[in-house]
Amino acid sequence: MSMDNKEADDTMWCLALVFSIAVLFLSFVLQWRFAAASSAISLFLQTADMLRNSTIEKITSSCCAACGIAEAGADEIKLKKCVDCDLVRYCRDACQKNQSQHEEACKKRSTELRDELLFKLPESSHHGDCPICCLPMPLDVDKSTIMPCCSKLICDGCAYANYLREAERMLAPACPFCRKPVSFTDEEFDKYQMKRIEVNDPVAMRHEGLDQCDKGNYQSAFEWYSKAAELGDVEAHNQLSHMYRDGHGVEKDGGKEIYHLEEAAIGGHPEARYNLGIGEWNDGKTERAAKHFIIAATQGDDDSIKELLEIFKDGLVSKDDLAAALRAHQAAVDSAKSPQREAAEAQREAAEERFPDRQAFERYLLPWTSLLSQRNAATILGHGVEKDNENEMHHLKRLQLDFIPKLDTILDVTSGIMAKQREQ
């Protein structure tokens, strides 16, 4: 420590001492009550303790915690903070490795820092906001669509409104966000996805991992998830936790499973936080489990609300905490609602009712497949249609208004039916 810093600290000590003694003297001279004198003494002790801690902090921040060497000029000795706890500093790696006395305090502090980060309420879920309507995305992944051309997650409300706009104006289908032409073929989808991967898009990498996982190629899926997680994709961390739990593509590792669940929870993933809460509950750490459930419920997670209601019956959550969680949960759910999203949901329900199985879907699609086979895509989408052909215009208008807006819903229903048939 330099002489200037030492003289400054001595001056601060003297000023604090003189100030406290003066207050104590005045309290007796003016015949204040004993409480006033006691507060003056308490003020003196607090000031002295603050100055002592400040002096210790200056010493530890300017000297190596192992060898005691002081930090020098820019070209000489530079101290580095302990990467785990951020409490002390070292002049070199050897000093940090040989500092066994600091190990216990370091572990304790690093755990505290991790918990502060883990139990901090995220600003939003990992889905964020819809880039078009700027409303929070619903947690249900079936109520949003990922666009392969730009990797943007679009809520069904905006996607459905865009379909209606295209149908009314007889426009070719395009991405609601980047306006690139939309193709419904797997080849075009894969082409877009690989282009996004080439520019290090973590969302595209994660979806490539999902594709590989569906094919049973778990090793490749693990590699894609790892790359996406390194680039900050929250869902990729959640998928990695599943792989470490099940041993798919990697050896089972409970520690790494928890790590990736925590990373996902910190990033705002309510499902990952719910799973953390279940794990803490099974380990007997009920207080930590309740914290996880409360945060996940605040984000709109229904399963966490159910768990809170159960543990409230056991007296492990207070009535006020439960009421606050219920209000926050309802607020999160309401914030993700809009008239457009409600219309899209009604359209989805109508489509599911209309197509209870694949045969019903094929019967409905047959006239359109016949029409598509007779005309090229440009003609079907309104380009080159003769205005005096009323019959063709009638079929075209019906196709645009009835089929195109429902295409995503129809495909979703069909894929679900096919998945159930494969399971059977």
Side-chain angles (χ1 to χ4, degrees), residues 125-128 130 135-146 153-157 206 235 268-271 296 299-303 329 332-333 336-337 341 344-346 348-349 352 412:
S125 74
H126 63 297
H127 293 313
C130 174
L135 293 177
M137 294 293 297
L139 297 183
D140 188 353
V141 295
D142 292 334
K143 296 181 179 180
S144 58
T145 303
I146 186 73
L153 190 66
I154 309 297
C155 74
D156 279 357
R206 184 230 306 162
E235 179 59 36
H269 202 299
E271 179 188 337
Q299 294 180 282
D301 184 63
D302 295 334
D303 291 333
H329 174 269
V333 172
K337 291 182 179 180
R341 293 181 182 182
E345 178 66 17
R348 177 184 295 276
E349 293 175 355
E352 291 176 350
D412 288 343

Side-chain angles (χ1 to χ4, degrees), residues 95 98 178 193-194 219 223 268 272 279 288 299 303 336 382 391 418:
C95 284
N98 296 330
C178 68
Q193 185 165 284
M194 293 311 298
Q219 181 62 42
E223 293 175 359
R288 293 174 64 87
Q299 294 180 282
D303 291 333
N391 184 53
M418 294 177 65

Side-chain angles (χ1 to χ4, degrees), residues 125-379:
S125 74
H126 63 297
H127 293 313
D129 298 338
C130 174
I132 297 179
C133 65
C134 298
L135 293 177
M137 294 293 297
L139 297 183
D140 188 353
V141 295
D142 292 334
K143 296 181 179 180
S144 58
T145 303
I146 186 73
M147 306 307 299
C149 48
C150 54
S151 294
K152 293 296 183 181
L153 190 66
I154 309 297
C155 74
D156 279 357
C158 291
Y160 183 61
N162 181 61
Y163 292 145
L164 294 179
R165 180 187 65 86
E166 292 171 345
E168 181 180 357
R169 301 181 183 181
M170 309 291 284
L171 301 175
C175 172
F177 184 78
C178 68
R179 299 304 182 189
K180 288 184 179 180
V182 173
S183 175
F184 302 111
T185 64
D186 292 338
E187 292 78 9
E188 286 295 325
F189 188 96
D190 294 338
K191 181 180 177 181
Y192 276 131
Q193 185 165 284
M194 293 311 298
K195 284 184 177 180
R196 298 303 305 172
I197 289 176
E198 290 174 0
V199 295
N200 290 329
D201 187 333
V203 176
M205 292 179 181
R206 184 230 306 162
H207 275 272
E208 180 64 23
L210 288 170
D211 293 341
Q212 295 298 324
C213 194
D214 290 339
K215 297 175 183 177
N217 192 354
Y218 297 119
Q219 181 62 42
S220 178
F222 176 79
E223 293 175 359
W224 284 115
Y225 287 150
S226 299
K227 292 179 181 179
E230 289 176 0
L231 293 174
D233 188 74
V234 176
E235 179 59 36
H237 280 292
N238 186 51
Q239 294 298 329
L240 283 173
S241 72
H242 296 167
M243 303 200 80
Y244 278 113
R245 178 196 63 197
D246 302 330
H248 288 164
V250 67
E251 293 184 4
K252 291 185 179 181
D253 191 324
K256 291 184 178 180
E257 176 196 352
I258 296 299
Y259 168 77
H260 286 290
L261 279 177
E262 289 182 350
E263 287 296 309
I266 291 171
H269 202 299
E271 179 188 337
R273 189 173 290 279
Y274 169 80
N275 290 333
L276 280 175
I278 294 296
E280 298 284 12
W281 180 267
N282 293 335
D283 292 339
K285 302 176 181 178
T286 56
E287 184 177 351
R288 293 174 64 87
K291 288 182 180 180
H292 284 304
F293 292 144
I294 288 174
I295 294 175
T298 300
Q299 294 180 282
D301 184 63
D302 295 334
D303 291 333
S304 296
I305 282 291
K306 295 176 183 177
E307 294 295 332
L308 284 175
L309 291 173
E310 289 297 324
I311 63 179
F312 171 72
K313 297 177 182 178
D314 299 331
L316 300 175
V317 174
S318 67
K319 183 178 179 179
D320 293 338
D321 289 341
L322 177 62
L326 288 170
R327 288 192 297 269
H329 174 269
Q330 188 60 47
V333 172
D334 291 341
S335 67
K337 291 182 179 180
S338 72
Q340 292 79 10
R341 293 181 182 182
E342 292 175 359
E345 178 66 17
Q347 184 70 25
R348 177 184 295 276
E349 293 175 355
E352 291 176 350
E353 182 179 353
R354 188 172 184 181
F355 307 113
D357 52 38
R358 183 171 179 80
Q359 288 73 23
F361 167 73
E362 290 178 345
R363 287 195 299 271
Y364 173 77
L365 192 60
L366 183 60
W368 304 126
T369 56
S370 176
L371 182 61
L372 286 169
S373 64
Q374 298 173 11
R375 308 284 293 183
N376 58 41
T379 302

Side-chain angles (χ1 to χ4, degrees), residues 7-26:
E7 291 177 358
D9 289 338
D10 292 341
T11 302
M12 292 178 64
W13 271 95
C14 292
L15 290 175
L17 183 62
V18 170
F19 172 74
S20 300
I21 292 176
V23 172
L24 182 62
F25 174 75
L26 288 174

